[in-house]
Amino acid sequence: MANTIFKRKIYDEMLKWKNEQSDKCALLIKGARRVGKSTIAKEFAKNEFKSYILIDFAHASKSIIELFDDMYDLDFFFLKLQQFSGVRLYEKESVIIFDEVQLLPKARQAIKYLVADGRYKYIETGSLLSIRKNTKDILIPSEEHKISMHPMDFEEFLWAIGNDITADTIKSLIKNKLPAGNALHRNLLRSFRLYMLIGGMPQAVERFLESNNLQVVDKVKRDIIDLYEEDFSKIDRTGLAESIYDSIPASLSKNSSRYVLSTAKKGLKANRVYELIPDMLSSFTINVAYHASDPNVGMSLEKDISRYKLFISDIGLFITLAFRDKDFTDNIIYNKLLSNKLDKNLGYIYENVVAQMLVAKGNNLFYYTMNGETSNHLYEIDFLITSGNKICPIEVKSGNYRSHKSMDVFCSKFSRRIKEKYIIHTKDYRAENGVQYIPIYMVPFM
């Protein structure tokens, strides 16, 4: 069955490339596997060009692969490519898609010469693009415009399930700094919890629309997790990368101020983990928040690479990992999560989804900890983002939102650096004493 074509925001970025940059560079779409890169590239090519050829390097024929062994004569290269694919190319009006380009590094290297030739446009898709085996012995082309594709955000999810009203409602509320009111707030929060349970992977959303059964959706998410864990063997053959990924929910649930190494493997040395972090980031399966030693504009200059927190890049996959203590997750678990009746502290789940939403909006993730009155107490700001020449501290609360000692201490210490103060919680919007209390469904629209 053909994949459902969902409306994605990245389409507008692709149009901008076509109109402004496609004569000078190829478009490279980076993202996790199963996030929808191939689908959107094909849909874009079909809508915006007279013809297209898609070369999927995971399944391309030997004859197609061998074309890249000798590209000295591009006339002959294009002639054979059209012959093998059965598609006619039109100068300036056709696009060639290199799907999963990391599987044939020499095809990626050829982009430099293909773009310079100027006859056609080029789109590349890939994950794990930066790991050593996918860049060894090739010259990475500078003629690439790179964009990142993330799982569906909350607004894209609402579009997918046929809800074209809710996002506009939330945008109006936050723009005017208005509470939703009890009935509407409950409705909006339930919609957001549904998004958290399903997540933003297109296959999971598609299966939900087909079945209306969260346990069926859970099976799709498990298959995606299994696929990711197979990919981790390409990063690290010892199984450590897989262990790190699997242990992220457990580490967050400990409410620790940094990633807990022992949740992945006992006796693990810190340097072994953060050596793997860049390659795991290249897979787009995780998000990383680094500790900001001096929280201010330009936090990338002050990040401590030895202190970090890890998050799963999709909240739906996170929840499946968190409750993966048998071969399936009972519908009763999903129903209790949906109605907020599960007898567990869900703060770590909300923290993960906030991390995901901030990354989708283009933010790098940072957090900050401070010593408290006693040696064993720390104050922590969950996230720090910048706005102009100021910073905005964010605390995520699943319970008592009125108590925010960490925020108070932080704002007292760095008062001149702060623009807005946010408490993200599950209650309705309110503003009090210079703090904005934001219901979690408003975060994508902040």
Side-chain angles (χ1 to χ4, degrees):
M1 185 177 68
N3 290 339
T4 303
I5 308 299
F6 294 116
K7 181 181 176 183
R8 305 296 298 271
K9 294 177 181 178
I10 198 173
Y11 198 101
D12 290 338
E13 294 183 65
M14 298 169 73
L15 269 178
K16 185 176 181 181
W17 160 79
K18 177 179 183 287
N19 294 330
E20 299 177 6
Q21 297 176 275
S22 59
D23 288 336
K24 301 174 183 177
C25 59
L27 178 68
L28 175 59
I29 306 173
K30 305 181 295 179
R33 294 180 70 185
R34 302 292 176 86
V35 81
K37 303 184 303 296
S38 304
T39 301
I40 198 69
K42 185 175 179 180
E43 182 69 6
F44 183 80
K46 184 172 66 175
N47 293 342
E48 307 298 335
F49 291 90
K50 189 171 182 177
S51 71
Y52 70 93
I53 293 175
L54 186 148
I55 306 172
D56 180 356
F57 290 114
H59 303 101
S61 66
K62 182 180 178 182
S63 57
I64 293 282
I65 296 296
E66 289 176 345
L67 289 180
F68 294 89
D69 290 336
D70 181 5
M71 300 188 65
Y72 180 76
D73 186 346
L74 286 181
D75 290 338
F76 196 37
F77 172 83
F78 291 128
L79 185 64
K80 288 189 288 186
L81 184 58
Q82 291 174 90
Q83 184 67 36
F84 291 147
S85 65
V87 176
R88 181 178 177 181
L89 295 173
Y90 301 87
E91 288 196 23
K92 307 295 184 182
E93 298 182 277
S94 296
V95 63
I96 301 172
I97 303 170
F98 290 175
D99 196 22
E100 301 293 355
V101 72
Q102 77 278 358
L103 298 177
L104 193 68
K106 60 187 174 183
R108 186 181 179 195
Q109 178 175 261
I111 283 294
K112 178 180 180 66
Y113 310 104
L114 294 170
V115 169
D117 173 73
R119 271 176 270 190
Y120 311 113
K121 316 296 185 183
Y122 300 90
I123 296 175
E124 306 165 272
T125 77
S127 58
L128 295 171
L129 288 158
S130 301
I131 66 172
R132 190 173 295 108
K133 63 176 287 188
N134 293 335
T135 58
K136 187 180 179 182
D137 300 326
I138 71 164
L139 180 66
I140 301 298
S142 58
E143 296 78 9
E144 288 177 334
H145 174 61
K146 301 177 180 69
I147 59 176
S148 299
M149 189 171 191
H150 302 286
M152 289 182 185
D153 65 18
F154 182 42
E155 186 172 15
E156 290 173 321
F157 173 79
L158 291 170
W159 294 340
I161 64 174
N163 185 337
D164 297 324
I165 300 172
T166 293
D168 288 339
T169 300
I170 298 173
K171 288 176 186 178
S172 177
L173 290 172
I174 194 166
K175 179 181 178 181
N176 295 292
K177 298 185 177 182
L178 295 174
N182 289 339
L184 180 57
H185 171 72
R186 286 194 299 269
N187 180 274
L188 296 175
L189 191 58
R190 184 177 176 85
S191 295
F192 188 81
R193 287 200 183 108
L194 181 64
Y195 166 65
M196 291 173 62
L197 298 179
I198 297 168
M201 303 305 288
Q203 283 182 305
V205 177
E206 183 177 35
R207 190 57 56 89
F208 172 73
L209 294 174
E210 292 171 354
S211 68
N212 195 36
N213 187 317
L214 292 173
Q215 193 168 316
V216 173
V217 173
D218 185 74
K219 177 63 172 63
V220 173
K221 293 190 290 177
R222 285 168 185 262
D223 289 344
I224 294 172
I225 291 169
D226 289 344
L227 180 67
Y228 288 175
E229 291 176 344
E230 289 174 14
D231 282 346
F232 290 140
S233 66
K234 303 169 187 174
I235 296 174
D236 171 71
R237 296 192 178 278
T238 69
L240 179 54
E242 178 181 343
S243 297
I244 293 170
Y245 182 79
D246 288 350
S247 68
I248 289 174
S251 180
L252 285 178
S253 71
K254 295 180 185 300
N255 199 28
S256 174
S257 63
R258 66 177 72 188
Y259 177 73
V260 181
L261 300 176
S262 62
T263 56
K265 191 175 290 185
K266 288 185 177 179
L268 188 61
K269 293 185 177 180
N271 65 333
R272 279 292 295 123
V273 177
Y274 62 73
E275 284 172 1
L276 287 173
I277 296 302
D279 284 343
M280 294 186 72
L281 278 171
S282 180
S283 72
F284 281 76
T285 58
I286 65 168
N287 294 317
V288 181
Y290 287 102
H291 188 271
S293 300
D294 182 22
N296 207 341
V297 174
M299 281 181 287
S300 293
L301 301 174
E302 300 291 341
K303 72 180 181 183
D304 181 351
I305 64 170
S306 67
R307 297 177 67 184
Y308 52 86
K309 299 176 79 170
L310 302 182
F311 304 92
I312 302 297
S313 61
D314 177 71
I315 187 60
L317 300 183
F318 179 93
I319 287 176
T320 291
L321 269 176
F323 294 94
R324 196 172 62 160
D325 47 8
K326 55 182 177 181
D327 290 339
F328 62 93
T329 304
D330 290 314
N331 253 334
I332 190 170
I333 296 291
Y334 276 111
N335 290 335
K336 285 188 174 183
L337 282 168
L338 185 60
S339 58
N340 202 32
K341 293 181 179 178
L342 193 67
D343 187 22
K344 280 184 177 291
N345 180 359
L346 301 183
Y348 66 104
I349 297 179
Y350 290 117
E351 190 176 348
N352 194 95
V353 75
V354 170
Q356 178 182 339
M357 292 187 290
L358 292 177
V359 168
K361 289 173 66 64
N363 295 287
N364 293 320
L365 300 180
F366 297 95
Y367 71 103
Y368 186 72
T369 58
M370 304 160 286
N371 291 324
E373 295 92 345
T374 61
S375 60
N376 62 351
H377 182 78
L378 284 176
Y379 294 122
E380 179 176 330
I381 299 299
D382 295 315
F383 299 105
L384 293 165
I385 60 175
T386 59
S387 178
N389 63 347
K390 299 285 187 177
I391 57 175
C392 303
I394 297 173
E395 267 200 83
V396 182
K397 298 279 191 179
S398 65
N400 180 13
Y401 66 92
R402 294 182 182 275
S403 174
H404 41 75
K405 183 68 173 177
S406 293
M407 177 72 75
D408 296 339
V409 171
F410 180 86
C411 292
S412 176
K413 184 175 182 178
F414 299 107
S415 59
R416 293 185 178 182
R417 302 180 183 182
I418 293 169
K419 183 175 182 180
E420 302 285 357
K421 296 172 277 188
Y422 298 111
I423 302 292
I424 309 300
H425 64 156
T426 57
K427 305 299 183 182
D428 206 347
Y429 177 88
R430 62 195 293 262
E432 187 176 272
N433 298 325
V435 178
Q436 291 192 63
Y437 298 83
I438 306 288
I440 194 161
Y441 53 76
M442 286 187 179
V443 174
F445 311 102
M446 284 169 51

